[in-house]
Amino acid sequence: MSREKILNAIRQNQPEYQPLPEEVNFYFEDVDLIEKFKQVLEFIGGRLHAVSNYTEAKAYLESIMPPAGRWITAVPEFQDHATLIEPGDPHLLENVDVAIIKAHFGVAENGAVWVTEELMGARALPFITQHLVILLNKNNIVPLMQQAYRLIGNVEYGYAAFIAGPSKTADIEQSLVIGAHGPRSLTIILTD
Amino acid sequence: MSLTKDHAALAQVFNNDEERVDWHDETLWFVRAKRDRASHGIPDWELLRETASRIKHNVLSNMHNYLVQFEENALANGIKVHWAADAAEHNAIVLSILKEKGIERMVKSKSMLTEECHLNDFLQDNGVEVIDSDLGERIVQLAKEPPSHIVLPCIHKKKEEIGDIFHEHLGTAAGESDPQILTETARQHLREIFLTRRAALTGVNFAIAETGEFVVCTNEGNADMGAHLADVHIASMGFEKLIPQRKHLSVFLRLLTRSATGQPITTYSSHFKKPRPGQQMHIIIVDNGRSIQLSREDFRNSLKCIRCGACMNTCPVYRRSGGHSYHTAVAGPIGSILAPNLDMEKYADLPFASTLCGSCTNVCPVKIDIHDQLYKWRQVIVKNGYSTKTKTAMMKGMTLALSSPAIFNLSGKAGRLALKFIPFAVNNGLNPWYKQRDMPTPPEGSFTDWYKKNRKGGKP
Ligand code: SF4
């Protein structure tokens, strides 16, 4: 009932039709995209480490992450270091220490990476884990959000997110604290 | 108006503690300065703003069709769509969804719309416990206060006060006020909440007509923690949150957080398109006066607002009077345009809580003509007889000045002369803004130039 009432009021009250603006190409600096991505990522509290293969990536993670904790991954190649995630109740992920997932691409202007549900294994995983590790191919970095959404296009997903750095808050007197409700750290592993 | 205190009276209370006022002012100015740095990093910032404003203009002019399209696509995605004409209907819908599932405890992430609807009080009266999960909102909830800012809900609280609240409610050591420790305590406390609540309510930053999905932006990850662990996800949105296509997010996500806090983007920009298997996802589309605002030619642009808070951070009146002085859910310049639409009498004071300096209009990422609208509301309010004597007198002077271009152009200079020779003409008790302080020494150059030179950090 309210539906009709609201829609009728809107139809009656909305202004004369205005077309959408023409699409423009926004400016981006001609810089090294990896360098720019790294710089912004560090600015927002993340870290980046480049490797040339997965063995190197694993060795690096072992050196920086809590060894005894519970490691979960949605990347089959990391099965020997972490448990491959299985479908099920997300509450069972409560005590995950390290989660390793892949991203589709990164965005240089804001240090964000684009991850869809299939790459997460479970929607809750990138949030509930204490530490998040995301693998990103170094050739998959775009300059701006404009190119990012061109890549996304009309692709189908149930859930997806841009993730930019570890979770954070500055709600107490504007002092930045890393590790609000989500991960306490975000590591991007840049792969060849 | 006669029953509730107006902005000037509430601001006077806030101004009793001058040190706190200075601190509040400085803190918000710090956020404003971060916004400036972020926006200056984008050479075509103005083009970006113009594009966003024009996309929103298209949305306002085609709202009916976009809403129908959004509903159709959301339904196809498996999302349940509800329509609420007003706050009461919105709240009743939330309650009925929870009742149907036998849920008595809900976790909520930031949603100014639910503040506007007073959802928490309603649910509590109906036996449902609501816990706010955004840190700032949790703090004000424990303090039994409303948020004082749409992006920074407890910006008015000092860390020592937050420490006391946490000591009382969450068992931290007495006198503990380290933000790191307090945040960690809240993290542990809220983790338990996320893990045990079967329903989560979130706000909506953008809803996309073309795909039927909606986007929620947070830094803390609280919207996601709530939604991904709950059996029922309810998302509440004012209908103006709509944008036509997914690709338009590339414009709005670039503007939103740079304008809000100076970050390049929020930590999480979460795109919810379908419920996860076994989960129920609901979206409640709320009018609550918005369709009336849409009919007001002079004020409809206010519906372009993306709730970044930049107009508050930059506003000299907001910074020195505090969000609670506005006695409405959305404070500051934009709140002062939105509130009178809902209740012109109750909020007649708000359009007057401004110096009309125009700084809000300059920073607004969707180019809302905020200070012009404030000025126009003053006229409407006076015409409708809702203005008190003081403000009517103020208005008359203002109308005279603004109705004649010659006088308007001279008024800056004339104002400076008035300050120099007849200070009582400005500080004469008719202008509530001068209650707490004497007028500054008159500037030699323009007001802005003078303030830049004389106040820390070039603050106007
Ligand atoms: S009116 Fe503009 S500046 Fe103010 S909150 Fe809305 S979008 Fe931001």
Side-chain angles (χ1 to χ4, degrees):
Chain A
M1 230 182 57
S2 286
R3 178 185 186 276
E4 299 318 312
K5 195 171 115 190
I6 296 167
L7 284 172
N8 284 338
I10 290 172
R11 186 171 22 215
Q12 210 160 22
N13 294 344
Q14 68 193 14
E16 195 192 324
Y17 183 78
Q18 294 285 325
L20 278 167
E22 262 174 54
E23 200 166 324
V24 285
N25 287 318
F26 289 106
Y27 170 85
F28 61 91
E29 235 180 318
D30 187 16
V31 290
D32 183 288
L33 291 176
I34 297 176
E35 213 22 67
K36 174 83 181 170
F37 178 84
K38 179 171 191 250
Q39 186 198 325
V40 179
L41 179 71
E42 284 167 359
F43 173 69
I44 58 176
R47 70 185 146 210
L48 184 130
H49 185 77
V51 299
S52 40
N53 54 51
Y54 279 174
T55 316
E56 253 181 72
K58 290 167 188 171
Y60 173 69
L61 289 179
E62 271 172 18
S63 74
I64 59 159
M65 290 294 169
R70 183 175 175 208
W71 293 41
I72 292 273
T73 186
V75 187
E77 291 89 335
F78 278 76
Q79 268 185 88
D80 48 348
H81 278 70
T83 313
L84 199 60
I85 189 162
E86 282 180 29
D89 181 356
H91 293 85
L92 300 174
L93 301 168
E94 178 190 350
N95 56 1
V96 171
D97 293 293
V98 180
I100 306 165
I101 61 175
K102 264 188 190 172
H104 293 285
F105 61 84
V107 186
E109 71 162 318
N110 55 25
V113 295
W114 174 248
V115 191
T116 51
E117 189 169 20
E118 326 82 76
L119 293 184
M120 296 175 187
R123 293 183 189 187
L125 186 65
F127 301 93
I128 205 167
T129 182
Q130 299 290 331
H131 302 277
L132 180 60
V133 178
I134 301 183
L135 310 175
L136 174 67
N137 186 301
K138 70 173 189 201
N139 300 312
N140 296 349
I141 298 178
V142 298
L144 302 179
M145 292 298 272
Q146 184 162 42
Q147 290 78 29
Y149 277 97
R150 281 179 188 154
L151 277 182
I152 295 168
N154 293 322
V155 74
E156 194 49 54
Y157 48 74
Y159 169 82
F162 278 106
I163 299 180
S167 88
K168 59 180 86 65
T169 182
D171 274 349
I172 301 176
E173 281 199 11
Q174 283 297 295
S175 343
L176 179 69
V177 179
I178 302 281
H181 301 302
R184 299 172 189 276
S185 76
L186 173 76
T187 309
I188 300 276
I189 301 277
L190 205 60
T191 61
D192 271 338
Chain B
M1 273 266 314
S2 48
L3 291 175
T4 54
K5 282 195 166 180
D6 70 0
H7 179 271
L10 291 163
Q12 204 182 352
V13 175
F14 187 77
N15 272 258
N16 282 337
D17 184 347
E18 217 172 304
E19 215 176 291
R20 176 182 294 264
V21 174
D22 288 342
W23 165 81
H24 189 263
D25 183 11
E26 298 293 328
T27 312
L28 285 155
W29 187 254
F30 169 70
V31 183
R32 154 76 211 260
K34 286 198 289 185
R35 172 258 168 222
D36 288 349
R37 279 197 295 278
S39 64
H40 296 160
I42 311 256
D44 51 0
W45 181 255
E46 289 308 315
L47 177 63
L48 202 55
R49 285 176 80 211
E50 179 64 25
T51 306
S53 186
R54 286 176 59 193
I55 294 171
K56 283 281 186 179
H57 208 136
N58 167 262
V59 172
L60 296 186
S61 74
N62 197 31
M63 188 69 84
H64 174 277
N65 291 351
Y66 284 143
L67 275 170
V68 171
Q69 189 191 4
F70 174 74
E71 180 191 39
E72 189 185 321
N73 288 320
L75 288 170
N77 293 338
I79 304 175
K80 297 192 183 194
V81 181
H82 310 259
W83 299 77
D86 53 26
E89 191 173 10
H90 166 266
N91 295 349
I93 292 169
V94 175
L95 183 64
S96 73
I97 294 170
L98 297 176
K99 278 224 160 124
E100 199 192 298
K101 287 274 179 180
I103 295 173
E104 284 171 349
R105 300 188 302 172
M106 181 173 83
V107 64
K108 181 158 96 40
S109 71
K110 191 140 61 194
S111 147
M112 288 316 295
L113 177 60
T114 59
E115 291 294 330
E116 175 187 320
C117 296
H118 302 289
L119 175 71
N120 286 16
D121 291 342
F122 170 83
L123 288 180
Q124 259 136 39
D125 291 346
N126 284 279
V128 177
E129 176 218 70
V130 185
I131 291 195
D132 283 312
S133 60
D134 172 84
L135 176 60
E137 285 209 318
R138 185 65 184 136
I139 291 166
V140 290
Q141 187 182 35
L142 288 172
K144 299 195 169 48
E145 289 174 18
S148 68
H149 187 290
I150 58 175
V151 176
L152 318 162
C154 68
I155 194 72
H156 61 292
K157 284 234 176 291
K158 295 202 172 184
K159 60 179 194 274
E160 291 77 17
E161 295 168 286
I162 297 168
D164 290 345
I165 296 168
F166 275 39
H167 174 60
E168 187 189 335
H169 296 275
L170 304 177
T172 48
E176 181 58 71
S177 66
D178 179 354
Q180 189 88 37
I181 292 172
L182 298 178
T183 303
E184 180 63 28
T185 306
R187 176 183 170 99
Q188 301 301 341
H189 155 63
L190 287 162
R191 205 151 247 257
E192 194 270 326
I193 305 293
F194 290 128
L195 285 162
T196 49
R197 298 309 188 259
R198 292 167 51 215
L201 189 144
T202 68
V204 169
N205 289 93
F206 305 98
I208 300 149
E210 174 196 51
T211 61
E213 75 197 289
F214 58 93
V215 174
V216 183
C217 303
T218 76
N219 278 321
E220 298 182 7
N222 56 316
D224 290 277
M225 281 292 276
H228 301 325
L229 290 166
D231 301 335
V232 180
H233 176 184
I234 304 169
S236 295
M237 62 175 260
F239 67 65
E240 81 282 12
K241 296 287 170 181
L242 223 54
I243 58 173
Q245 296 159 25
R246 193 187 262 168
K247 71 174 181 202
H248 294 138
L249 287 167
S250 71
V251 173
F252 293 103
L253 292 181
R254 291 187 77 195
L255 286 165
L256 176 62
T257 322
R258 286 186 174 97
S259 300
T261 60
Q263 293 168 255
I265 189 169
T266 46
T267 305
Y268 306 107
S269 310
S270 303
H271 298 48
F272 293 90
K273 191 158 188 287
K274 295 172 182 170
R276 58 170 208 280
Q279 188 196 35
Q280 261 191 23
M281 198 178 272
H282 299 263
I283 187 141
I284 309 176
I285 301 171
V286 182
D287 182 339
N288 203 33
R290 288 164 176 76
S291 59
I292 299 171
Q293 192 81 321
L294 192 61
S295 74
R296 301 187 201 265
E297 198 183 335
D298 285 342
F299 306 112
R300 62 166 63 109
N301 272 346
S302 62
L303 294 170
K304 293 180 175 180
C305 175
I306 57 172
R307 300 288 191 270
C308 71
C311 58
M312 301 175 187
N313 304 341
T314 201
C315 177
V317 175
Y318 175 89
R319 291 201 312 266
R320 299 197 66 84
S321 62
H324 289 157
S325 300
Y326 293 78
H327 58 94
T328 173
V330 178
I334 184 64
S336 303
I337 299 171
L338 296 172
N341 172 59
L342 279 175
D343 188 335
M344 208 184 292
E345 187 173 6
K346 187 173 173 197
Y347 300 116
D349 55 319
L350 294 185
F352 295 88
S354 164
T355 62
L356 300 183
C357 71
S359 182
C360 45
T361 304
N362 289 333
V363 296
C364 178
V366 288
K367 294 182 89 165
I368 300 170
D369 49 338
I370 305 172
H371 74 295
D372 289 338
Q373 292 193 33
L374 288 168
Y375 174 64
K376 285 174 184 160
W377 261 127
R378 292 180 182 186
Q379 292 173 306
V380 173
I381 283 162
V382 171
K383 209 181 280 167
N384 283 277
Y386 293 129
S387 170
T388 59
K389 242 201 243 153
T390 314
K391 284 160 194 161
T392 311
M394 269 174 67
M395 266 299 292
K396 281 193 180 136
M398 198 95 59
T399 313
L400 178 68
L402 292 173
S403 59
S404 148
I407 295 178
F408 180 69
N409 287 335
L410 284 171
S411 64
K413 206 172 171 190
R416 286 199 294 280
L417 288 174
L419 264 182
K420 205 164 194 170
F421 301 112
I422 37 168
F424 56 86
V426 185
N427 187 5
N428 58 4
L430 276 181
N431 188 344
W433 275 103
Y434 293 111
K435 265 190 186 150
Q436 276 307 110
R437 39 188 189 278
D438 292 324
M439 289 299 289
T441 330
E444 294 300 323
S446 81
F447 187 71
T448 328
D449 288 348
W450 177 80
Y451 259 68
K452 268 194 186 141
K453 266 186 264 159
N454 287 273
R455 296 203 53 182
K456 260 184 272 169
K459 185 160 46 181

